[in-house]
Amino acid sequence: MLGPMGPETPLHWLLPGDVPTARAAQAEMAAHVVTTDALPPRPLRLGGADVSNTRFDPTKRVHAAVVTIDAATDEVLAAATETRIADFPYVPGYLGFREVPALVAAWSRLTLKPDVVLMDGQGMAHPRGFGVACHLGVVLGVPTIGVAKSLLVGTGEPGPEPGDTAPLLWKGQCIGTALRTRRGARPLYVSVGHRVSLPTAVALVLAATRGRRLAAPIRAAHDAANDARRAAASAP
């Protein structure tokens, strides 16, 4: 199992340069994904990670945020952001190479680290089984969960009640869980990122929503990333 990112982390895992190299890097990193629990049974601190950008920004900047909240109260205990020009273009299925370098920089400045990170994006529910939540988890060596608001691949439709679930199926395999968090709301698509089992991931996400569609750590990270984007836009 890899530990936190250090000098031994292959450079092309973050800066591949081109799509063929990125595809090979995904395959290498996917071999390190751990799908069993390696986190406290009752995490006290939950992390959230999100990235904001403006589609037509000519500078192609990304605004990344990571936060740590109290699992019992949703209080934000720490937050850090990073704004930088993306090193990799927007290519569907390779979002990690665009977002993870900025998230890693923000993580390095996060003063209080969480027990597990909920990432706004896919984990293993990805064409090559290696979405941005897996990417972040493997590079940092921390437990991560993919919590996506839309499907990338697969099908699954849970029942109408909060807590209803359905397997997210693709090519005959279960790659995640479609989870209804609020009646009348569109489901979330939860998948393993790294060092978390799927049942644990679903339970943590549902508990963190507290009757809302999105989990509290992701809401806090979303707000922080948007604040960073607005601050960058207003800077002289």
Side-chain angles (χ1 to χ4, degrees), residues 89-105:
Y90 174 76
V91 181
Y94 296 90
L95 195 62
F97 298 101
R98 182 176 174 83
E99 297 188 350
V100 168
L103 287 165
V104 168

Side-chain angles (χ1 to χ4, degrees), residues 13 64 77 80 89 103 112 116-117 139 146 157 162 195 209 230-231 234:
W13 284 15
L77 304 174
L103 287 165
L112 183 62
V116 56
V117 177
V139 167
E157 184 64 27
R195 302 179 69 183
T209 59
R230 286 189 286 266
S234 63

Side-chain angles (χ1 to χ4, degrees), residues 18-205:
D18 55 42
V19 170
T21 304
R23 179 184 286 267
Q26 282 184 334
E28 292 172 16
M29 289 185 281
H32 293 283
V33 170
V34 174
T35 59
T36 55
D37 290 329
L39 70 165
R42 293 184 179 179
L44 299 179
R45 298 188 297 270
L46 301 179
D50 195 13
V51 174
S52 178
N53 57 73
T54 301
R55 183 178 179 185
F56 300 109
D57 178 4
T59 65
K60 303 186 186 305
R61 290 175 298 180
V62 293
H63 312 276
V66 287
V67 302
T68 300
I69 73 167
D70 186 295
T73 66
D74 295 345
E75 176 189 0
V76 176
L77 304 174
T81 62
E82 169 76 3
T83 290
R84 60 167 61 184
I85 296 173
D87 296 300
F88 199 80
Y90 174 76
V91 181
Y94 296 90
L95 195 62
F97 298 101
R98 182 176 174 83
E99 297 188 350
V100 168
L103 287 165
V104 168
W107 176 267
S108 71
R109 294 193 296 274
L110 190 66
T111 55
L112 183 62
K113 301 295 196 285
D115 297 312
V116 56
V117 177
L118 281 63
M119 174 76 207
D120 186 347
Q122 307 289 352
M124 295 182 71
H126 177 274
R128 288 171 296 284
F130 196 80
V132 62
C134 299
H135 200 153
L136 184 65
V138 168
V139 167
L140 291 179
V142 301
T144 55
I145 299 169
V147 188
K149 298 187 288 291
S150 59
L151 279 172
L152 186 56
V153 291
T155 58
E157 184 64 27
E161 298 299 328
D164 284 348
T165 63
L168 185 57
L169 302 175
W170 190 61
K171 294 186 176 180
Q173 300 290 324
C174 178
I175 58 173
T177 296
L179 170 67
R180 189 85 63 193
T181 54
R182 189 176 68 182
R183 185 174 180 86
R186 297 186 306 278
L188 299 178
Y189 303 98
V190 180
S191 59
V192 170
H194 184 48
R195 302 179 69 183
V196 183
S197 69
L198 184 57
T200 295
V202 172
L204 285 173
V205 171

